Amino acid sequence: MGILEKIAEIEREISRTQKNKATEYHLGLLKAKLAKYRAQLLEPSKSSGAKGEGFDVMKSGDARVALIGFPSVGKSTFLSLMTSTESEAASYEFTTLTCIPGVIEYKGANIQLLDLPGIIEGAAQEEGRSLLWPELQIGELEELLVKELESVGIRLNCPKPNIYFKPKKGGGLSYNSTVPLTHCSEKLVQLILHEYKIFNAEVLFREDSTPDEFIDVIVGNRVYMPCLYVYNKVDQISIEEVDRLAHRANSVVISCGMKLNLDFLLEQLWEYLALICLYTKKRGERPDFSDPIIMRRGASVEHVCHRIHRTLASQFKYALVWGTSTKYSPQRVGLTHIMEHEDVIQIVKK
């Protein structure tokens, strides 16, 4: 039995197993096996067969956004509308066959936009199947998309599990938790670790995590990132349906054809990317508002110094900051001061 058949068999077993106290250990082991087989599926093949073609796009700008979705939902049209890049768009599926980059200029930031080929169900397992889109509801399409991304280790809109895990050379399992656990037990944790041939480890739960989250920590290659669900072509549905979609979590409704709500989408992208604009000022001169420094939210004065020049932090004496991050303007601050959007900074060297 091949890996794909094993994955399918485990998925069927999980779907028909009732979730209760008596089956939690069985389900935990099945999920551990499923994660292990999926990881093997994603490993490069050692055989001499033909290799699949991947995407290698040079990173540019201050942030990166990938357009991921099913065929013919308007990704290429959106890229052409928001950037100076022309991405081929047509009414038939699979118009885009490779990654096409573009750049959005917004609030002084250059945001790289990547138009990826449409995803089909089962692509992660190399067994893509066509779908009858009119028979599926919006929620079902969203679930299929999330499932495909999760199967390759991408976790959307969720934080990294707060679990400390460290394999050891001996001493058995050291298991502790700082909060009451309702999903995992020491026995279940031990069974999952044994599935990965790990018999000596330190495990500390700092939150009430699920077996799936614990497995993600063991595997260690998961990517956690924010996701914004964009519903295009809302001009073709009723106003009641538009209102319902607009009130879904992490969602924005737009129409590329009628250019509706695109400005709000850009505002949401800015928030989800957690970007801030900072302006520099030289002594005795006015701030330079023409060339902002784009940083991530939570950036400190030290991060700003490294962005300006790699040796500036070592020559740093103090900084004067004007803006919402200070109690008064200007305020003398050190390297650990956290900057906020549209702050003005003047750095004084030793």
Side-chain angles (χ1 to χ4, degrees), residues 35-246:
K36 189 169 68 173
Y37 286 137
R38 281 177 173 168
Q40 292 176 9
L41 190 66
L42 296 175
E43 289 175 358
S45 175
K46 296 180 181 179
S47 64
S48 58
K51 296 182 179 179
E53 183 180 354
F55 306 126
D56 188 10
V57 180
M58 182 178 293
K59 186 176 181 179
S60 67
D62 303 293
R64 216 175 199 189
V65 175
L67 300 178
I68 299 177
F70 295 109
S72 301
V73 295
K75 300 187 299 296
S76 299
T77 304
F78 178 74
L79 180 76
S80 300
L81 272 176
M82 307 307 295
T83 72
S84 57
T85 303
E86 288 297 325
S87 182
E88 185 181 355
S91 57
Y92 53 87
E93 295 183 353
F94 305 111
T95 313
T96 303
L97 299 176
T98 187
C99 180
I100 301 176
V103 176
I104 298 176
E105 295 181 4
Y106 185 68
K107 293 185 177 180
N110 291 323
I111 302 173
Q112 188 180 39
L113 204 61
L114 303 178
D115 178 18
L116 301 177
I119 287 181
I120 55 175
E121 185 188 7
Q125 282 77 38
E126 300 178 356
E127 52 171 16
R129 299 181 290 272
S130 61
L131 294 174
L132 298 176
W133 305 119
E135 296 180 3
L136 294 176
Q137 301 298 318
I138 291 292
E140 294 174 311
L141 291 173
E142 190 177 297
E143 288 177 8
L144 283 174
L145 189 60
V146 172
K147 181 181 177 182
E148 289 299 316
L149 294 176
E150 285 186 345
S151 64
V152 294
I154 297 175
R155 302 292 181 260
L156 303 177
N157 295 330
C158 62
K160 187 176 181 180
N162 193 0
I163 303 173
Y164 174 77
F165 169 70
K166 182 181 180 181
K168 301 187 299 183
K169 293 183 179 180
L173 174 63
S174 174
Y175 170 87
N176 283 293
S177 65
T178 58
V179 295
L181 300 181
T182 60
H183 305 289
C184 290
S185 65
E186 184 173 359
K187 181 181 177 182
L188 179 57
V189 167
Q190 195 170 38
L191 288 172
I192 293 173
L193 288 173
H194 286 182
E195 184 62 35
Y196 284 89
K197 302 297 188 290
I198 299 173
F199 303 97
N200 305 287
E202 291 181 26
V203 177
L204 174 62
F205 283 78
R206 298 192 181 99
E207 62 183 11
D208 188 15
S209 301
T210 64
D212 295 295
E213 291 171 331
F214 179 58
I215 292 169
D216 286 347
V217 172
I218 296 173
V219 175
N221 62 354
R222 305 310 192 213
V223 179
Y224 300 85
M225 58 180 58
C227 172
L228 188 62
Y229 298 99
V230 180
Y231 300 98
N232 187 27
K233 305 179 183 179
V234 294
D235 53 301
Q236 301 176 14
I237 58 178
S238 66
I239 191 65
E240 291 80 13
E241 182 68 6
V242 172
D243 185 66
R244 187 184 69 82
L245 293 175

